[in-house]
Amino acid sequence: MTPLNGENIWEYILDRHAGRIGVKRRKPALENLERIFVATFRLANDVGFRAMSLRDLCRETGLSMGGLYGYITSKDQLAEIIEDVVRHSTQAMPLLFADVRSPLDRLEAMIRSSIYLSEVLQPWFYFVFMDSRVLQVEQRSMAKNSELFVQTLIATTIGEIEPKPHGDPTLLAAHCLALFQDWYVKRWKYRAAKVNVDDFADSVVSTVRRYLSMSGV
């Protein structure tokens, strides 16, 4: 279960930005939002987000410029919506496990869910990680704070583990983040090695559990 996935993400965007999106017929609006963002990620990978233009996006989606303006009027808006999707899903997911009593079990749930969420929304996560520099200053700050939010939750959970693991919880949490960020940033590496998402998640969890369980002994 993830807050957003390939089925409900377009509804989330349409409802969240209803005041900005001028198209009122829901079914074509959802279909066109999918076309717009799939094309955005494809162009961002091919030519770079900075280099792509709205005319490129029109050509890629088959929409007219007027049709495109019914949904977004600038690349800044595109980047803002992408960042918002990642921030919303990233912050919502760990809260699902707040009632798990064992800190190690809660940490495992947070790590696994983060990996699987980034698998479901890989292009979105990759864009924010690689192209955050194209975000406006306020949006860039929000993206950074979103990552720090998750890191703080992980650090707090590590701080509850007994016996206390060796090392600063904040730094250990940063290492955890780096481990599972590698999955969506360097997917080519794991694809070439024929490593699937379950294998990767099992390996990360095993590594973290082993260190945190033994380092306090």
Side-chain angles (χ1 to χ4, degrees), residues 33-98:
L33 281 171
E34 182 173 3
R35 291 163 67 188
I36 289 167
F37 284 96
V38 168
T40 295
F41 295 133
R42 185 162 55 243
L43 287 167
N45 286 334
D46 290 346
V47 303
F49 187 75
R50 283 182 181 275
M52 67 168 269
S53 66
L54 293 186
R55 290 196 179 278
D56 293 330
L57 198 53
C58 287
R59 185 179 63 254
E60 197 76 13
T61 59
L63 294 171
S64 66
M65 189 64 77
L68 184 64
Y69 278 176
Y71 300 91
I72 56 103
T73 57
S74 70
K75 287 167 54 179
D76 285 343
Q77 285 186 359
L78 271 175
E80 175 189 333
I81 292 173
I82 295 170
E83 186 278 328
D84 173 74
V85 164
V86 171
R87 174 163 39 89
H88 169 77
S89 56
T90 298
Q91 294 188 357
M93 180 62 82
L95 301 180
L96 297 175
F97 312 106

Side-chain angles (χ1 to χ4, degrees), residues 122-175:
Q122 193 271 339
W124 306 77
F125 275 72
Y126 183 84
F127 179 94
V128 171
F129 189 92
M130 299 300 293
D131 290 302
S132 60
R133 62 189 180 280
V134 307
L135 297 171
Q136 295 297 304
V137 173
E138 180 181 359
Q139 209 73 24
R140 192 160 60 242
S141 176
M142 293 170 72
K144 292 178 180 178
N145 288 337
S146 179
E147 178 169 330
L148 290 175
F149 172 83
V150 176
Q151 180 174 303
T152 299
L153 280 179
I154 293 175
T156 300
T157 303
I158 291 174
E160 297 174 13
I161 296 172
E162 294 292 347
K164 296 293 184 185
H166 293 308
D168 176 68
T170 298
L171 191 54
L172 293 174
H175 293 328

